[in-house]
Amino acid sequence: MSFHVYHLFSHTILHCGAGQSVGIVDQPIARERASYLPIVPGSTVRGVLKAQVSDTESVAESSALQGLTESLFGASTSNDGRAGALSITDAHLLLLPVRTVYGILAYATCPFILQRYKQDRELDFSLPMPSEKQALCPNDNPNHQDNVMVLEDLDLDAQTSGDVEPWAKDIAQCIYPDNEELRESMRKRIVVLPDTVFSFLAETATEIRTRIRIKETTGGVENGALWSEESLPAESILWGVYSVDHNRCHEQYVRELNHILKEKPLLQMGGNMGTGSGLVQFISLEDKGE
């Protein structure tokens, strides 16, 4: 069984809902139970990948690819209990775009997240550890002035750190391997915040939109058709792990899956597809081994 790390890079806002809520937001996003950090459920990622692979199979000229979808994702009928060879974990939040007074936008993360990411990627970087009310950033970060960084309504002490640089370079390289200008723009905007501060921003700095439903006959708002939706901001970055069981999948199918994912497909997941939400790029990294 081979393991791979993948990233999700949201080009538009992303709403993977958790049903209705009794809180302030009517339709919140899915979150991890223990940490309450945003996630994209593995079932969501698997579903849109299945549609992508199925489209590839349907237009394939080679008859050898027939059965690709069933082999990777399992049988579509309830009478056949065969499981697919592809397993996908939930995607966890890695970088959260946050509004800043200086430099417009910062990509925020924290030691708790980087520790998890380090384990999945098997990286050998030192973990940046900001003190309370401190933000660690690369030397050329544009998000502070006079050593003050303002994220949303929070004033933090900005401190350049050599420990942040390798993380910023590596993550930016994963997202923009072929575009140096965009890669550098992301790299210098990555900031590491204390866990408590990041947790607060992950709850309060998401995008909230109020929506209505128009009554066709009158052109007015239908009674009770006013609700609010929570979404991850555009340019959020998440990561997860997927595996392929080679014992249950023909090698040719594995090669075809790798070919599809190598193209970094642009997928649409979550709610509100009709309004352009949920455009997400799937970026697969190198094999982690057995």
Side-chain angles (χ1 to χ4, degrees):
M1 182 177 289
S2 59
F3 291 86
H4 308 255
V5 172
Y6 71 88
H7 292 91
L8 299 180
F9 178 47
S10 64
H11 289 248
T12 59
I13 62 172
L14 176 60
H15 174 80
C16 291
Q20 292 187 333
S21 170
V22 295
I24 298 175
V25 180
D26 297 311
Q27 297 183 4
I29 57 176
R31 293 177 179 271
E32 191 178 47
R33 175 66 176 175
S35 67
Y36 207 62
L37 293 174
I39 62 170
V40 173
S43 57
T44 299
V45 182
R46 199 172 191 271
V48 295
L49 276 182
K50 182 178 181 180
Q52 180 78 12
V53 172
S54 180
D55 289 344
T56 301
E57 181 183 348
S58 64
V59 300
E61 298 180 357
S62 173
S63 60
L65 291 183
Q66 301 306 311
L68 171 65
T69 305
E70 186 171 307
S71 177
L72 290 172
F73 297 94
S76 57
T77 61
S78 58
N79 295 330
D80 192 337
R82 286 179 296 170
L86 180 66
S87 300
I88 303 177
T89 69
D90 294 339
H92 300 273
L93 183 62
L94 176 60
L95 297 181
L96 177 68
V98 180
R99 175 175 57 92
T100 66
V101 171
Y102 309 112
I104 300 179
L105 177 75
Y107 297 97
T109 187
C110 68
F112 176 82
I113 288 176
L114 292 180
Q115 181 66 58
R116 285 179 161 187
Y117 186 67
K118 177 179 180 179
Q119 183 176 0
D120 283 342
R121 288 281 313 279
E122 299 178 356
L123 299 173
D124 192 27
F125 301 153
S126 298
L127 202 63
M129 297 298 294
S131 60
E132 185 180 2
K133 295 184 179 180
Q134 187 181 61
L136 301 182
C137 57
N139 293 329
D140 51 352
N141 179 270
N143 301 124
H144 62 90
Q145 185 171 310
D146 297 328
N147 294 326
V148 176
M149 183 179 297
V150 183
L151 302 178
E152 296 287 339
D153 298 323
L154 301 176
D155 293 355
L156 301 171
D157 297 327
Q159 177 68 48
T160 59
S161 171
D163 289 340
V164 176
E165 191 65 37
W167 290 95
K169 284 183 177 179
D170 183 82
I171 295 172
Q173 177 67 30
C174 291
I175 306 303
Y176 293 116
D178 304 318
N179 192 318
E180 183 178 359
E181 183 178 0
L182 293 176
R183 182 169 65 246
E184 282 300 297
S185 177
M186 174 175 283
R187 177 199 61 78
K188 64 185 181 182
R189 283 179 163 82
I190 293 178
V191 298
V192 181
L193 308 178
D195 291 338
T196 304
V197 173
F198 183 86
S199 178
F200 173 77
L201 289 173
E203 290 189 46
T204 60
T206 54
E207 187 146 350
I208 308 295
R209 293 191 178 182
T210 302
R211 301 189 62 191
I212 60 174
R213 183 168 61 249
I214 300 296
K215 196 172 184 178
E216 292 185 11
T217 55
T218 64
V221 180
E222 288 191 7
N223 291 332
L226 171 68
W227 72 96
S228 58
E229 292 178 349
E230 182 184 25
S231 300
L232 280 173
E235 298 195 42
S236 297
I237 298 175
L238 305 95
W239 95 96
V241 176
Y242 72 92
S243 63
V244 180
D245 188 345
H246 293 261
N247 295 326
R248 289 191 284 144
C249 187
H250 194 280
E251 193 60 35
Q252 184 171 356
Y253 293 158
V254 177
R255 289 196 298 269
E256 182 61 25
L257 174 65
N258 292 337
H259 175 73
I260 294 172
L261 298 183
K262 187 178 179 181
E263 298 298 319
K264 300 178 181 178
L266 188 62
L267 309 172
Q268 197 158 26
M269 60 182 65
N272 304 324
M273 291 185 179
T275 56
S277 298
L279 284 175
V280 176
Q281 192 170 21
F282 187 98
I283 303 172
S284 174
L285 299 187
E286 72 283 350
D287 192 341
K288 284 184 62 179
E290 299 297 322

